[in-house]
Amino acid sequence: MESEKAHNAQHFLDLIQKSRKGKFKVYIGMSAGVGKTFRMLQEAHTLLKNGIDVKIGYIETHHRKETHDLLEGLPVIPRRTIFYKGKQLEEMDVQAIINLRPEVVIVDELAHTNIEGSKNEKRWQDVLEIIDAGINVISAVNIQHIESLNEDVRRITNVAVQERVPDNVLRMADEVVNIDLTADDLIARLKEGKIYTPDKIPMALNNFFKPDQILQLRELALKEVASQVVRKVENEVPRNIALRQERLLACISSNDKTAKIVIRKTARLATYYNSKWYVLYIETPKESSDKIALDKQRHLINNFKLASQLGAEVIKLERKHITEGILEIANQKQITTICIGKPHLSLFKVILSTGIFNKLLHNLSASDTDLVILS
């Protein structure tokens, strides 16, 4: 009885805290130059004309004249100055924004890494702090900065994007809007000097701004926004029929060199289904911490950290047989889909060699649990 009262009280507290938070809107695009900053500034002018207290917290025009001209007439919160390695640099002044408490603040470059010594390491952390203070935020990000798409972007562009935003930050958004352009339109803007200065255009055309790459990045952006819409519908539109609640389980091992890919792909599935998901590592007697190499331990810890950043609950079990551990967690967490790596991965080899793989398949076939083998 007491536990039920505590649960009800906590639920009501959560509702109160949620109502006190600011709203979060994100403009997303396939690349630089599609017009995210331009659109945010246009919206700021519209809000201002309608009597909304809107201010610019941080904007990056990249010296694009048509974008820079839109700053005229908009109140800008001064940036704070930081001296770093002998240079005078500027960052967004989060505390000033919170102190001024505008109804809406515009914050560009969501994936930006703050200068060393700042309160938060990343700008998206600044944004969450502002939202928690009850201020509405409009921000922007490119699709290549989404954490779970890191490997896809590397494959498409051959570029390892270092500044990334965890998927769960986008899940917190009340609204995600795609700023879309065709590849021809984007390349035309580039050649007209509307994205980069003339000296950078040839290099951009030979690298990031190739039609086939733009098309693939455009597809990623459209899929991301579509999944956000699906999630919003499932969360907010009443349904007369009960749908299966997906729960995903990603299984990794200390020897799995592609564990990051398994984790990221499972994260994408979880995002699509708007589902809870878990990452499971089963420590067998042969893989106890005193028996595996330090580099494998580091990889394991990094994979746990990545999984947590992407919104997973990490589970570590000590069991003699991996398959028994998988079945135990699948039953306990009511898992609907188990995700593992391709047969050449060490985890799958271990499963096959246990002699009770048939038990795993038998149990899964007798339930509604799917087994997904990820490439």
Side-chain angles (χ1 to χ4, degrees):
M1 187 68 178
E2 289 300 322
S3 61
E4 184 178 347
K5 287 181 180 178
H7 174 75
N8 291 336
Q10 183 61 47
H11 176 67
F12 188 59
L13 179 61
D14 291 341
L15 289 174
I16 292 172
Q17 291 174 337
K18 185 178 180 181
S19 68
R20 288 175 177 171
K21 289 185 177 182
K23 297 296 183 182
F24 185 27
K25 181 175 184 177
V26 179
Y27 282 104
I28 195 168
M30 58 186 168
S31 75
V34 296
K36 301 180 301 299
T37 303
F38 190 86
R39 182 70 66 85
M40 285 196 298
L41 292 175
Q42 282 184 321
E43 184 168 354
H45 278 284
T46 301
L47 291 170
L48 200 61
K49 287 177 183 176
N50 284 277
I52 302 298
D53 178 17
V54 58
K55 288 182 171 56
I56 304 299
Y58 190 98
I59 210 75
E60 185 55 74
T61 65
H62 295 287
H63 306 291
R64 296 166 190 155
K65 185 181 184 304
E66 58 182 10
T67 304
H68 189 80
D69 289 347
L70 277 175
L71 279 171
E72 188 175 347
L74 294 174
V76 178
I77 298 174
R79 301 176 185 180
R80 64 190 182 93
T81 301
I82 299 177
F83 287 92
Y84 180 67
K85 293 185 177 180
K87 294 182 180 179
Q88 182 176 312
L89 304 172
E90 292 182 335
E91 282 287 13
M92 180 172 70
D93 196 331
V94 179
Q95 195 56 53
I97 293 170
I98 293 173
N99 291 343
L100 288 169
R101 298 193 66 79
E103 289 180 74
V104 179
V105 65
I106 308 296
V107 179
D108 208 353
E109 306 273 349
L110 188 63
H112 170 77
T113 300
N114 292 331
I115 299 168
E116 190 175 321
S118 300
K119 179 181 178 182
N120 297 312
E121 181 185 354
K122 299 285 188 176
R123 182 163 294 155
W124 61 262
Q125 294 171 320
D126 293 337
V127 166
L128 296 186
E129 187 174 334
I130 294 168
I131 291 169
D132 285 340
I135 300 167
N136 304 304
V137 175
I138 300 175
S139 190
V141 69
N142 286 328
I143 193 64
Q144 63 262 32
H145 295 289
I146 306 303
E147 177 64 63
S148 67
L149 294 174
N150 187 250
E151 294 297 332
D152 291 322
V153 172
R154 187 201 298 262
R155 173 181 52 79
I156 294 168
T157 66
N158 291 319
V159 174
V161 178
Q162 300 301 320
E163 294 188 318
R164 304 194 290 271
V165 176
D167 289 48
N168 65 330
V169 173
L170 274 191
R171 290 194 195 113
M172 295 176 188
D174 299 280
E175 192 175 354
V176 177
V177 179
N178 184 41
I179 305 297
D180 189 36
L181 280 179
T182 65
D184 289 342
D185 286 341
L186 184 61
I187 291 173
R189 282 179 56 81
L190 176 67
K191 289 179 177 178
E192 290 168 4
K194 293 182 178 180
I195 301 176
Y196 296 131
T197 52
D199 58 307
K200 294 181 179 178
I201 293 174
M203 183 181 294
L205 286 170
N206 290 326
N207 291 289
F208 205 83
F209 285 77
K210 293 179 180 178
D212 60 326
Q213 292 184 3
I214 293 171
L215 189 61
Q216 291 179 79
L217 292 172
R218 186 185 183 196
E219 181 187 21
L220 289 180
L222 290 169
K223 282 182 176 179
E224 178 63 33
V225 175
S227 70
Q228 296 286 341
V229 173
V230 169
R231 183 159 51 252
K232 193 172 180 65
V233 169
E234 290 180 346
N235 286 338
E236 298 182 12
V237 178
R239 293 185 179 273
N240 297 323
I241 56 173
L243 298 178
R244 179 169 106 153
Q245 295 297 312
E246 297 290 338
R247 286 173 174 261
L248 281 68
L249 178 68
C251 302
I252 65 170
S253 81
S254 62
N255 294 322
D256 190 352
K257 294 181 180 179
T258 56
K260 282 185 173 63
I261 295 174
V262 174
I263 291 170
R264 285 192 172 112
K265 287 194 172 185
T266 307
R268 294 305 301 167
L269 288 172
T271 297
Y272 178 79
Y273 287 115
N274 189 26
S275 63
K276 190 170 179 61
W277 66 292
Y278 307 84
V279 168
L280 174 63
Y281 166 66
I282 299 175
E283 183 183 288
T284 62
K286 292 181 180 179
E287 288 192 326
S288 58
S289 57
D290 60 334
K291 291 183 180 178
I292 64 172
L294 285 175
D295 61 330
K296 289 183 179 179
Q297 291 185 41
R298 284 194 296 270
H299 286 312
L300 197 57
I301 292 169
N302 289 335
N303 288 335
F304 289 163
K305 183 179 179 182
L306 173 64
S308 296
Q309 289 175 341
L310 289 173
E313 179 182 325
V314 177
I315 302 171
K316 182 179 177 182
L317 279 183
E318 293 182 13
R319 294 292 183 272
K320 185 177 180 180
H321 298 294
I322 287 179
T323 46
E324 289 178 347
I326 293 174
L327 291 173
E328 179 184 333
I329 295 301
N331 181 60
Q332 182 186 118
K333 300 295 184 180
Q334 297 179 310
I335 298 299
T336 59
T337 304
I338 295 173
C339 302
I340 60 177
K342 280 176 68 174
H344 73 271
L345 300 178
S346 60
L347 171 66
F348 202 70
K349 290 179 179 177
V350 171
I351 292 174
L352 287 171
S353 67
T354 59
I356 59 168
F357 185 60
N358 285 336
K359 181 181 177 182
L360 175 65
L361 292 179
H362 176 74
N363 276 267
L364 295 183
S365 63
S367 68
D368 290 330
T369 306
D370 298 322
L371 178 65
V372 176
I373 300 175
L374 300 169
S375 62

